Amino acid sequence: MRFAGRESWQVSHGTNQTVNTALFLRDTLALSVDTVPELPGLDPSVPVRVPTGVDRSGAAEEWLGWWADVLDHARTELPAGSPIDPSGPSLAIRPSLRAAVIALRPAAAEYDRAHAARSPGALPIGEVVRGVENHLGRYVKPFRLVITVVPVQGLVWERMTASHVIASERFLGDPARSAPALRAVVESLA
């Protein structure tokens, strides 16, 4: 949110197609990879399918480095240079994942479209920020916070950097959990 006449804060939350595509590939190919943060399977789950010409073991070896690129992209506002672009630099150095993205891109897009109508949860952002300001007795310092919503099973709220959080839809759908978690992040940025 921005206020005229002074710098202010900005919180964005929502799904990210790049993150969803990476998780779709992980689950569809049944890759044995450890995500940071640890993220359970997609909700709803997807069937395992390995298209012809896709090297599962190669994709698994390349996945963690790619996941780091995906998260870096998710926390920036720049739409250019997406790690899921087969002609982009992230996949140029990861041939197994590049082949997987090309083979599974239509299915990943269909999954994303089918579940795009799901709401990421109504976070009481303004209320939380005003509460922190009342507690501090001053306006919060200008900050930018990105909350990337992931369609995974279980309750997830993981702070990736000072200004980036990954949260599951289920966690955000529970105000008793999400509001205090958001408050703690805002307080640390205030």
Side-chain angles (χ1 to χ4, degrees), residues 123 155-157 170-184:
L123 280 173
L155 300 170
V156 176
W157 177 272
R170 286 186 185 176
F171 187 91
L172 295 177
D174 182 354
R177 292 179 195 270
S178 60
L182 178 60
R183 186 174 300 110

Side-chain angles (χ1 to χ4, degrees), residues 113-152:
R113 270 191 303 277
H115 305 292
R118 294 175 8 175
S119 171
L123 280 173
I125 296 167
E127 181 181 320
V128 166
V129 172
R130 283 188 300 278
V132 170
E133 288 177 334
N134 286 338
H135 176 73
L136 295 174
R138 63 170 171 78
Y139 291 124
V140 296
K141 296 175 201 166
F143 69 86
R144 179 177 174 271
L145 174 62
V146 175
I147 302 170
T148 302
V149 182
V150 289
V152 297

Side-chain angles (χ1 to χ4, degrees), residues 70-85:
V70 165
L71 291 179
D72 284 344
H73 184 263
R75 66 180 134 253
T76 64
E77 290 184 1
L78 304 174
S82 172
I84 61 172
D85 177 0

Side-chain angles (χ1 to χ4, degrees), residues 6-10 139-144 189-190:
R6 69 177 178 93
E7 291 185 62
S8 190
W9 53 272
Q10 179 181 16
Y139 291 124
V140 296
K141 296 175 201 166
F143 69 86
R144 179 177 174 271
L189 297 171

Side-chain angles (χ1 to χ4, degrees), residues 37 145 157-166 184-186 188-189:
L145 174 62
W157 177 272
E158 289 288 335
R159 195 160 181 189
M160 302 305 298
T161 67
S163 60
H164 184 219
V165 172
I166 290 185
V185 173
V186 171
S188 73
L189 297 171

Side-chain angles (χ1 to χ4, degrees), residues 16-37:
N16 180 290
Q17 183 184 13
T18 304
V19 171
N20 290 351
T21 298
L23 294 173
F24 181 86
L25 261 66
R26 178 198 68 175
D27 289 9
T28 299
L29 296 174
L31 300 180
S32 294
V33 293
D34 294 324
T35 56
V36 177

